[in-house]
């Protein structure tokens, strides 16, 4: 069950240790990932096929499935399942479609006009985790904003299943997104393949998608090695639940377990205003765990998780901002007064009837979010993640007269005579 800590009794160093997670102090993960990246860079498809046999336990004849394969697999799922994916698609699309906005032109001074225009990132790579859980929702969360942004090429990688294919749910999402090929590559090797390109897999400009610590480490290394960028460090999933006396312990336990069942390296943190709440939630965890198909994974995650008791909700928010959770749930009647104090979180779920799983699947917000404390400086995926914004400016004769002397003086004081001359030579001829 959840280990217990008292917030007021924790020293600064102890709090910092408590909020740290998914660290690699001995560089064991980094060393493995660096070797994988190097092998993919040198050997391409050859080593990807070897890794499929080694890590995914499957022998592949080719590294991709095309439109006919996708159509056949999509047809294997039931109509109610198709409809659920369609509703999720519609809600996610509706929420994200408002994010693509044209900005107005600004005249900073007479005759000087500046503006920004949006351009899609041309080639993007989407990593869809496989492993112990099937995640078609992640494909929707990444593919929909990529389509809205207008990306010209969308490369999708996902680990193969034991039959050398993907599941029908992912295939149906590919059809909804009009993506006609998927590459059967998982883990750090998928990130490397999209970063460098192989005989089968195109090189991309930016890589998206969550994954385990190996995938996250690969994304970080690739960003330093190449001109390929990443969405964010999105590793093992996590949730922090703030609960007071108005919370329902059964709801709180269910929310904690919803994250814990992702995997043993997930973390579920409870911040409660009394030990009585923690005890009630622990009782519910014991009861609810027994009926979960993934109870062994969830139990291991809970063992690596903890509860913190605080004196009031303000202290709870203070600890949450230090932790910077991927998902933050406010299980309290007073959530409206707390939201303005939240400074670090990936996505926030308000009140007793807003489970994090709604955001994972179908409410419309994106579930690809920063983890491991990166919510202090990163946002979750949005349409903005798939575009770049180019600045433009135009200066007419009036504008040159208005701004010219200012530029000349600033260039001169920095000792950059050619910068000054670029203005002066124009002023002499207008």
């Amino acid at each position: 069950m959840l280990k217990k800590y008292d917030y007021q009794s924790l020293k600064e160093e102890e709090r910092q240790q408590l909020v740290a997670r998914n660290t690699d102090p001995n560089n064991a993960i980094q060393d493995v990932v660096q070797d994988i990246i190097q092998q993919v860079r040198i050997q391409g498809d050859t080593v990807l096929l070897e890794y499929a046999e080694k890590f995914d336990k499957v022998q592949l004849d080719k590294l991709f499935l095309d439109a006919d394969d996708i159509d056949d697999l999509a047809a294997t799922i039931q109509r109610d399942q198709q409809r659920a994916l369609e509703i999720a698609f519609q809600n996610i699309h509706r929420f994200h479609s408002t994010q693509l906005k044209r900005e107005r032109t600004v005249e900073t001074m007479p005759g000087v006009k500046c503006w920004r225009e949006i351009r899609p990132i041309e080639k993007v790579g989407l990593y869809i985790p496989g492993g112990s859980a099937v995640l078609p929702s992640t494909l929707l969360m990444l593919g929909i904003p990529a389509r809205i942004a207008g990306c010209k090429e969308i490369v999708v990688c996902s680990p193969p299943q034991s039959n050398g294919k993907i599941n029908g749910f992912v295939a149906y999402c590919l059809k909804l997104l009009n993506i006609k090929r998927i590459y059967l590559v998982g883990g750090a090797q998928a990130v490397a393949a999209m970063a460098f390109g192989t005989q089968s897999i195109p090189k991309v400009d930016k890589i998206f998608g969550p994954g385990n610590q190996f995938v996250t480490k690969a994304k970080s290394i690739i960003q330093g090695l190449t001109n390929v960028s990443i969405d964010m460090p999105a590793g093992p999933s996590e949730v922090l639940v703030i609960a007071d006396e108005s919370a329902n312990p059964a709801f709180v336990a269910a929310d904690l377990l919803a994250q814990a069942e992702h995997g043993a390296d997930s973390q579920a943190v409870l911040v409660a205003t009394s030990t009585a709440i923690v005890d009630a939630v622990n009782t519910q965890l014991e009861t609810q765990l027994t009926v979960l198909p993934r109870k062994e994974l969830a139990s291991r995650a809970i063992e690596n998780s903890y509860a913190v008791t605080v004196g009031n909700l303000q202290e709870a928010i203070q600890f949450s901002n230090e932790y910077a959770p991927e998902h933050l749930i406010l299980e309290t009647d007073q959530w409206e007064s707390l939201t303005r104090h939240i400074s670090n979180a990936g996505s926030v779920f308000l009140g007793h009837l807003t489970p994090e799983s709604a955001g994972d699947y179908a409410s419309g917000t994106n579930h690809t979010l920063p983890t491991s404390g990166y919510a202090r400086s990163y946002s979750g995926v949005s349409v903005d993640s798939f575009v770049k914004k180019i600045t433009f400016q135009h200066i007419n004769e009036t504008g040159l007269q208005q701004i010219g002397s200012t530029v000349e003086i600033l260039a001169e004081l920095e000792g950059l005579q050619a910068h000054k001359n670029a203005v002066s030579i124009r002023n002499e001829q207008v």
Side-chain angles (χ1 to χ4, degrees):
M1 293 297 99
L2 295 171
K3 297 182 288 288
K4 299 179 186 178
Y5 298 91
D6 179 72
Y7 182 71
Q8 293 180 339
S9 300
L10 292 169
K11 297 177 182 179
E12 172 68 20
E13 183 180 347
E14 292 172 324
R15 285 208 310 273
Q16 292 305 313
Q17 290 176 348
L18 205 57
V19 301
R21 61 268 196 203
N22 298 318
T23 57
D24 184 24
N26 299 318
N27 293 325
I29 293 173
Q30 178 170 303
D31 291 345
V32 171
V33 170
Q34 285 179 326
D35 182 63
I36 290 173
I37 290 171
Q38 181 68 2
Q39 293 305 315
V40 172
R41 188 176 190 175
I42 295 170
Q43 300 186 55
D45 284 0
T46 301
V47 77
L48 291 178
L49 291 168
E50 292 174 5
Y51 284 144
E53 187 170 358
K54 179 179 179 180
F55 297 125
D56 304 309
K57 311 303 179 186
V58 60
Q59 287 187 326
L60 298 176
D61 296 324
K62 60 180 182 178
L63 287 169
F64 57 86
L65 299 177
D66 276 334
D68 289 343
D69 301 307
I70 292 168
D71 288 344
D72 291 343
L73 291 165
T76 63
I77 69 172
Q78 299 173 7
R79 179 56 195 151
D80 62 332
Q81 295 167 331
Q82 293 177 350
R83 182 59 184 152
L85 291 170
E86 290 165 4
I87 292 171
F89 180 98
Q90 291 161 7
N91 287 351
I92 298 164
H93 193 284
R94 188 174 294 117
F95 178 76
H96 286 76
S97 63
T98 65
Q99 298 169 6
L100 198 63
K101 295 180 180 178
R102 183 176 180 179
E103 299 179 14
R104 67 186 182 92
T105 299
V106 178
E107 190 169 34
T108 56
M109 60 195 313
V112 181
K113 292 183 178 180
C114 304
W115 68 96
R116 295 199 305 177
E117 293 186 11
I118 293 173
R119 298 290 186 273
I121 297 173
E122 293 190 356
K123 297 179 180 180
V124 296
L126 313 184
Y127 180 68
I128 314 303
S132 62
V134 174
L135 298 176
S137 56
T138 297
L139 179 53
L140 295 180
M141 295 291 178
L142 298 176
I144 290 170
R147 280 290 182 221
I148 292 171
C151 300
K152 292 181 180 178
E153 186 170 1
I154 301 174
V155 176
V156 180
C157 286
S158 191
Q161 294 190 307
S162 58
N163 62 359
K165 300 183 182 298
I166 56 171
N167 66 76
F169 309 110
V170 170
Y172 196 74
C173 291
L174 289 169
K175 285 178 62 66
L176 291 173
L177 292 163
N178 195 30
I179 295 173
K180 300 185 183 302
R181 175 173 286 194
I182 184 170
Y183 296 94
L184 303 171
V185 185
Q189 57 270 31
V191 175
M194 290 187 284
F196 295 109
T198 72
Q199 295 87 338
S200 296
I201 301 175
K203 181 183 184 300
V204 302
D205 301 314
K206 189 172 183 178
I207 296 173
F208 296 78
N212 59 22
Q213 293 186 64
F214 292 88
V215 171
T216 304
K217 182 64 71 174
K219 288 167 68 178
S220 298
I221 293 173
I222 284 298
Q223 187 168 230
L225 277 179
T226 69
N227 61 358
V228 176
S229 64
I230 65 170
D231 52 353
M232 72 190 82
S237 195
E238 61 197 34
V239 67
L240 187 147
V241 180
I242 292 176
D244 65 4
E245 286 70 18
S246 67
N248 184 324
F251 293 176
V252 174
D255 288 334
L256 295 171
L257 290 172
Q259 281 307 305
E261 72 174 352
H262 274 295
D265 54 0
S266 296
Q267 193 166 67
V269 176
L270 170 61
V271 182
T273 53
S274 74
T275 55
I277 297 170
V278 177
D279 292 339
V281 170
N282 270 334
T283 299
Q284 280 292 325
L285 286 172
E286 289 182 3
T287 301
Q288 294 184 31
L289 262 171
T290 60
V291 297
L292 291 180
R294 295 167 65 86
K295 62 183 178 183
E296 290 186 12
L297 279 178
S299 294
R300 287 163 59 194
I302 291 296
E303 288 173 6
N304 294 323
S305 301
Y306 57 87
V308 177
T309 54
V310 293
N312 51 54
L313 290 172
Q314 288 69 40
E315 282 187 356
I317 291 293
Q318 185 176 337
F319 180 81
S320 176
N321 284 332
E322 289 182 56
Y323 185 90
E326 177 190 19
H327 305 99
L328 171 60
I329 302 176
L330 303 186
E331 286 265 7
T332 170
D333 290 340
Q334 300 181 50
W335 61 266
E336 288 181 278
S337 66
L338 298 177
T339 54
R340 67 180 181 274
H341 301 294
I342 299 168
S343 56
N344 299 325
S347 191
V348 185
F349 303 81
L350 304 171
H352 305 296
L353 302 181
T354 314
E356 182 268 318
S357 49
D360 261 359
Y361 293 113
S363 64
T365 60
N366 208 289
H367 80 199
T368 307
L369 303 164
T371 68
S372 303
Y374 284 103
R376 297 184 189 94
S377 55
Y378 284 85
S379 305
V381 164
S382 67
V383 173
D384 285 347
S385 309
F386 291 88
V387 302
K388 60 212 178 203
K389 297 181 180 181
I390 304 172
T391 57
F392 293 81
Q393 52 221 283
H394 177 262
I395 300 175
N396 61 20
E397 184 175 340
T398 299
L400 188 63
Q401 293 169 352
Q402 289 278 330
I403 202 172
S405 62
T406 297
V407 176
E408 287 175 322
I409 292 169
L410 293 174
E412 194 169 52
L413 69 85
E414 290 192 350
L416 299 175
Q417 188 63 36
H419 279 65
K420 178 183 177 182
N421 290 345
V423 173
S424 302
I425 197 171
R426 286 174 167 82
N427 271 328
E428 292 168 2
Q429 297 186 30
V430 296

